[in-house]
Amino acid sequence: METILIEKDCLEQAAEIIKRGGLVAMPTETVYGLAADALNGAAVAKIFAAKGRPMDNPLIVHIADLSQWDGLVREVPEKARILAETFWPGPLTIILPKADCIPDEVSAGLDTVAVRFPSHPVAQELIRRSVPLAAPSANLSGSPSPTNARHVWDDMNGRIDAVINGDDCAVGVESTVITLASDPPRVLRPGGVTVEQLREAIGEVTVDSAVLQPLQSGEQAASPGMKYKHYSPRARIVLLNGPEQAFVDYVNRHAGEGIAALCYEEEIPALNVPVISIGAENDYAQQANRLFTALREVDERGFRLAYAHCPDTEGMGLAVYNRMIRAAGFEVIDLEA
Ligand code: TXA
Ligand code: MG
């Protein structure tokens, strides 16, 4: 299939492709999404084929007007309404029992549907010119999510109809996913809206155990996406948990051919290996913004192993930690303090 590049001020063409049942990669404020008409099961099925995504992993439906939400879910309860008023448009995905119109391809056989109202003007305009869009991240299944049009092109050229040539994504990690189909509401994936912000808006919110740990054997994934190996470069990533000096010492002791450090800006001068910085130690938003580009860079520069400093879990740090520990396949070394 020939993939075309569409400039962001020529969205009519992208909307036509969607309405014909095709696939278009679009920028959002979190990561690029691979979009199809959410109510066209055959179109949605093509997303799974293009990404190599397991069919039991459900998709998020993107809307550009609150009124579209009502048709997609059975009802919108009070807490959901508050979350939408507080965080939409923006990087929050809300799961509720689904309406009958949602194809099985979108919900992957679950009786719920995930909905998000993105803040990105290009995503909004594409939805307004077409229909609500089912869209996972526009990467090949398992690889780091794309945060610029080039990442999408590298993964998807020849597999989809079009890529919209938009800007780099501002948030850089995917949306926070919260389910209101259980009580109390539960975060299934941390992201651009923090757990602290959610609690401030609606009170008690729990965090699914799969956010921080691998699924235990026999455990059912509340969010099917959590059970797959994710965000992984081809290189091996090993997380080192400990203070800055211990991190630097460990990496320098293990320096060698093909080995790099995924580190904080402040650590660069002390490291004796090639470095890829994910940002300043206390700037979680910057780390989120750079993380996926940094993970791709590990492969682009041909490293076989990168030691990464284990991120903090406060605020948006939790989203960075959640992605990083999956990229590392949960391989963590605890350093002595
Ligand atoms: O920021 C984002 O959310 C991006 C942009 C494109 O909007 N999209 C995204 O989609 O990250 P995806 O498919 O890569 O991740 C969606 C996650 C998966 O882990 C999936 O299992 C979960 O949300 N999910 C979707 N629908 C669900 C449902 N009904 N119940 C539980 N988990 C669900
Ligand atoms: Mg994804």
Side-chain angles (χ1 to χ4, degrees):
M1 174 187 295
E2 198 201 336
T3 303
I4 60 170
L5 197 63
I6 295 179
E7 293 309 319
K8 57 180 189 259
D9 43 11
C10 303
L11 294 182
E12 199 43 52
Q13 195 183 3
E16 285 308 316
I17 294 171
I18 293 286
K19 286 189 263 182
R20 285 203 317 267
L23 302 186
V24 176
M26 63 172 178
T28 84
E29 71 279 22
T30 56
V31 300
Y32 273 70
L34 179 54
D37 177 350
L39 299 185
N40 177 343
V44 172
K46 294 184 201 164
I47 293 178
F48 289 86
K51 278 180 63 90
R53 180 178 175 107
M55 290 294 292
D56 68 349
N57 194 2
L59 303 179
I60 297 170
V61 179
H62 297 69
I63 58 174
D65 190 301
L66 275 182
S67 65
Q68 292 176 318
W69 199 17
D70 296 312
L72 301 172
V73 296
R74 235 172 289 153
E75 60 168 342
V76 176
E78 176 68 11
K79 282 180 186 171
R81 190 67 66 193
I82 295 170
L83 289 176
E85 274 165 19
T86 313
F87 300 108
W88 281 358
L92 180 68
T93 295
I94 301 174
I95 295 175
L96 287 169
K98 74 181 179 95
D100 292 338
C101 65
I102 301 293
D104 278 342
E105 287 84 355
V106 169
S107 53
L110 301 175
D111 56 8
T112 53
V113 65
V115 177
R116 178 163 108 78
F117 185 162
S119 64
H120 198 290
V122 172
Q124 288 185 0
E125 195 186 331
L126 181 59
I127 297 163
R128 286 201 190 100
R129 284 173 184 257
S130 59
V131 287
L133 299 175
S137 49
N139 52 292
L140 288 173
S141 196
S143 71
S145 298
T147 54
N148 61 44
R150 185 180 60 81
H151 294 161
V152 178
W153 193 261
D154 288 348
D155 276 18
M156 290 296 161
N157 183 19
R159 309 176 75 92
I160 63 175
D161 297 288
V163 175
I164 298 173
N165 190 18
D167 301 325
D168 293 3
C169 300
V171 177
V173 292
E174 303 88 340
S175 61
T176 301
V177 176
I178 186 169
T179 179
L180 297 192
S182 68
D183 190 42
R186 185 158 41 114
V187 170
L188 303 182
R189 180 178 72 183
V193 171
T194 67
V195 175
E196 293 86 339
Q197 289 174 304
L198 293 168
R199 288 184 178 139
E200 207 169 298
I202 55 167
E204 187 182 4
V205 168
T206 60
V207 176
D208 196 85
S209 60
V211 165
L212 292 167
Q213 301 163 23
L215 280 179
Q216 309 302 303
S217 70
E219 198 180 353
Q220 271 269 336
S223 178
M226 288 289 182
K227 72 183 177 204
Y228 297 107
K229 189 165 157 78
H230 245 128
Y231 314 118
S232 302
R234 286 184 300 278
R236 178 173 159 216
I237 308 290
V238 176
L239 286 189
L240 302 179
N241 186 27
E244 176 174 334
Q245 194 58 50
F247 172 77
V248 165
D249 289 345
Y250 186 98
V251 174
N252 286 343
R253 269 202 320 277
H254 292 80
E257 181 72 28
I259 294 179
L262 274 169
C263 64
Y264 299 128
E265 206 71 33
E266 297 85 342
E267 294 164 340
I268 293 174
L271 286 163
N272 293 333
V273 300
V275 293
I276 299 171
S277 162
I278 66 163
E281 179 163 9
N282 295 319
D283 191 341
Y284 305 132
Q286 184 178 54
Q287 293 166 25
N289 181 270
R290 292 191 189 174
L291 178 68
F292 288 136
T293 303
L295 288 172
R296 281 178 185 254
E297 193 180 330
V298 174
D299 282 344
E300 283 160 10
R301 291 172 59 184
F303 298 115
R304 63 179 173 82
L305 166 62
Y307 290 111
H309 201 158
C310 193
D312 290 336
T313 55
E314 279 161 53
M316 260 182 84
L318 185 63
V320 177
Y321 178 89
N322 170 269
R323 305 312 187 272
M324 193 75 116
I325 196 155
R326 282 172 170 71
F330 293 94
E331 190 176 352
V332 182
I333 297 174
D334 275 308
L335 304 174
E336 301 283 297

